[in-house]
């Protein structure tokens, strides 16, 4: 199959969607990138890039992100007193960066790719398994009909592509909510803490500090219901002393971004000419830092299978077989870790810290690290160079 013969619609202009559009366009496909946000550059707070995600970005020629990113040699998890709970013997490197920095690099690359037509301020309202697509202007409701050989649903947690197809999706809210924000430089603790109020973390990013806090206790929930920043700060300051300084740096409530953790599983990632990637296919808990990284790997592997298959249908089948089991393992592990991190009852935390955490440390091996990454960075870079043999 010649990718250059394909007409592709990619729904979703965030990390996975931009990466898929760039990979396919550079392989010769004509790509229409549809994103409902008219100016999507300044969305989000911070993001952790793992070696698999970095390898994909390098395959796209965007390794410059490492110039501004802050490298972490493994993430240490502590209790509220600062005592180490989890410090894996096989630490997984990560690079912290503002999400807007990463998005800016991807969008700049998209804007310079002649085979990508970007339709910002448009949303996909209908897609069919034969490749028919209808998009609509968010501003005035005007509609366009498109016909594609391949429709890529990279449109996130509330994917319209997924809703239009038969993917056997299961969307499960976890009840866990996080507050995230960026504050000034120099405040990062550089650890994730499992505390009586849940999870709190703060890490350096380019030009600032990324902080996040779960909001599951009654005091935090009351603060959220009334948009009371002082009450949220007080609730966290009692649970974890360093949170006081970080919340004090938050100017007002609207500086906070709130996200509920939702798990998405699909029995199928493919329906006719439609295929899912990223959160549309496998939204997961953030505790292993593999959400956006997995979306980048999806995009890279999709290109790999399209290159080596005789037709689109065969490529999508091999893409799903290669990616779905690997991501499911990571999503399940992240979900388990996320539930453990949210134990707030003293007895539950005692059992976790003295019995469960030592087991988790012992199970962290080179093999488990490879499973988290799903594909080796070397193989992902080879895909970017056109040197991979596909999934065989």
């Amino acid at each position: 199959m010649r990718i250059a013969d394909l007409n592709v619609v990619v729904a979703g202009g965030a990390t996975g969607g931009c990466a898929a559009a760039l990979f396919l366009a550079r392989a010769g496909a004509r790509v229409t990138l549809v994103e409902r946000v008219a100016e999507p550059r300044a969305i989000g707070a911070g993001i952790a890039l793992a070696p698999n995600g970095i390898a994909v970005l390098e395959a796209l020629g965007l390794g410059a992100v490492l110039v501004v990113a802050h490298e972490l040699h493994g993430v240490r998890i502590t209790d509220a007193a600062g005592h180490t709970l989890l410090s894996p013997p096989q630490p997984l490197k990560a690079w912290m960066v503002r999400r807007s920095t990463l998005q800016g690099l991807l969008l700049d690359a998209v804007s310079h790719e002649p085979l990508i037509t970007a339709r910002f301020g448009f949303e996909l309202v209908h897609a069919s398994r034969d490749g028919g697509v209808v998009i609509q202007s968010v501003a005035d409701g005007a509609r366009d009909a498109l016909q594609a050989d391949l429709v890529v649903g990279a449109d996130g947690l509330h994917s319209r592509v997924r809703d239009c197809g038969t993917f056997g999706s299961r969307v499960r809210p976890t009840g866990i909510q996080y507050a995230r924000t960026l504050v000034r430089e120099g405040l990062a603790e550089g650890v994730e803490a499992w505390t009586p109020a849940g999870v709190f973390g703060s890490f350096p990013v380019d030009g600032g500090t990324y902080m996040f806090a779960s909001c599951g206790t009654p005091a935090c929930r009351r603060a959220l219901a009334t948009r009371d920043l002082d009450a949220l700060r007080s609730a966290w300051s009692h649970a974890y002393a360093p949170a006081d300084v970080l919340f004090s740096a938050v100017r007002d409530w609207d500086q906070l971004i709130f996200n509920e953790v939702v798990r998405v599983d699909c029995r199928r990632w493919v329906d006719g000419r439609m295929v899912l990637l990223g959160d549309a296919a496998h939204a997961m808990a953030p505790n292993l830092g593999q959400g956006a990284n997995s979306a980048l790997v999806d995009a890279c592997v999709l290109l790999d299978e399209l290159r080596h298959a005789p037709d689109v249908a065969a490529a999508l089948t091999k893409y799903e077989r290669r990616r779905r089991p690997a991501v499911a393992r990571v999503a399940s592990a992240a979900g388990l870790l996320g539930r453990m991190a949210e134990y707030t009852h003293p007895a539950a935390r005692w059992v976790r810290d003295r019995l469960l955490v030592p087991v988790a440390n012992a199970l962290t091996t080179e093999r488990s690290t490879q499973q988290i990454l799903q594909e080796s960075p070397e193989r992902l870079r080879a895909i970017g160079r056109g040197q991979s043999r596909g999934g065989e």
Side-chain angles (χ1 to χ4, degrees), residues 38-57:
E39 297 181 6
R41 289 177 179 265
I43 296 173
I47 187 171
L49 294 170
N52 53 354
I54 290 293
V56 174
L57 293 172

Side-chain angles (χ1 to χ4, degrees), residues 92-281:
L92 183 63
K93 281 188 178 182
W95 291 261
M96 299 299 302
V97 67
R98 287 177 183 251
R99 190 174 288 269
S100 60
T101 298
L102 174 61
Q103 185 73 359
L105 287 171
L106 288 163
L107 289 172
D108 285 342
V110 164
S111 70
H112 288 94
E113 179 48 61
L115 289 178
I116 298 178
T117 300
R119 304 293 297 271
F120 296 138
F122 280 79
E123 59 185 344
L124 184 146
V125 294
H126 179 73
S128 59
R129 66 191 320 272
D130 65 357
V133 171
V134 178
I135 63 174
Q136 177 175 291
S137 168
V138 175
D140 60 18
R143 292 192 170 194
D144 285 340
L146 308 173
Q147 183 62 42
D149 302 297
L150 175 63
V151 179
V152 180
D155 47 346
L157 180 61
H158 305 291
S159 170
R160 183 59 183 158
V161 174
R162 188 182 66 227
D163 290 345
C164 289
T166 306
F167 295 98
S169 60
R170 185 182 180 193
V171 180
R172 292 175 284 171
T174 65
I176 300 171
Q177 192 167 23
Y178 280 86
R180 307 173 190 272
T181 193
L182 294 167
V183 294
R184 67 178 183 272
E185 288 183 275
L187 300 180
E189 293 289 310
V191 299
E192 178 180 307
W194 293 1
T195 79
V199 178
F200 191 97
S202 59
F203 295 91
V205 295
D206 42 310
T209 299
Y210 168 49
M211 63 169 265
F212 54 89
S214 58
C215 300
T217 63
C220 288
R221 290 181 184 273
R222 287 193 296 270
L224 264 61
T226 56
R227 293 171 56 89
D228 189 332
L229 182 58
D230 288 337
L232 185 60
R233 172 189 167 189
S234 177
W236 262 106
S237 298
H238 282 93
Y240 183 54
D244 184 67
V245 174
L246 284 143
F247 266 111
S248 295
V250 180
R251 297 184 302 276
D252 57 61
W253 186 265
D254 290 332
Q255 190 179 341
L256 298 171
I257 301 168
F258 293 95
N259 306 102
E260 182 178 5
V261 177
V262 176
R263 173 82 180 264
V264 173
D265 293 288
C266 297
R267 289 196 299 273
R268 294 171 296 279
W269 288 15
V270 176
D271 184 13
R273 296 176 184 265
M274 298 189 293
V275 63
L276 304 178
L277 67 76
D279 281 356

Side-chain angles (χ1 to χ4, degrees), residues 23-61:
F23 275 129
L24 294 172
R26 290 176 180 178
R30 299 172 302 283
V31 180
T32 301
L33 178 63
V34 182
E35 167 54 53
R36 72 181 314 277
V37 178
E39 297 181 6
R41 289 177 179 265
I43 296 173
I47 187 171
L49 294 170
N52 53 354
I54 290 293
V56 174
L57 293 172
E58 289 175 337
L60 287 168

Side-chain angles (χ1 to χ4, degrees), residues 75-79 81-88 191 353 357 361:
V75 176
R76 186 168 64 97
I77 295 175
T78 73
D79 62 15
H83 302 130
T84 299
L85 294 177
L86 274 171
S87 183
V191 299
D353 297 351
V357 167
N361 267 316

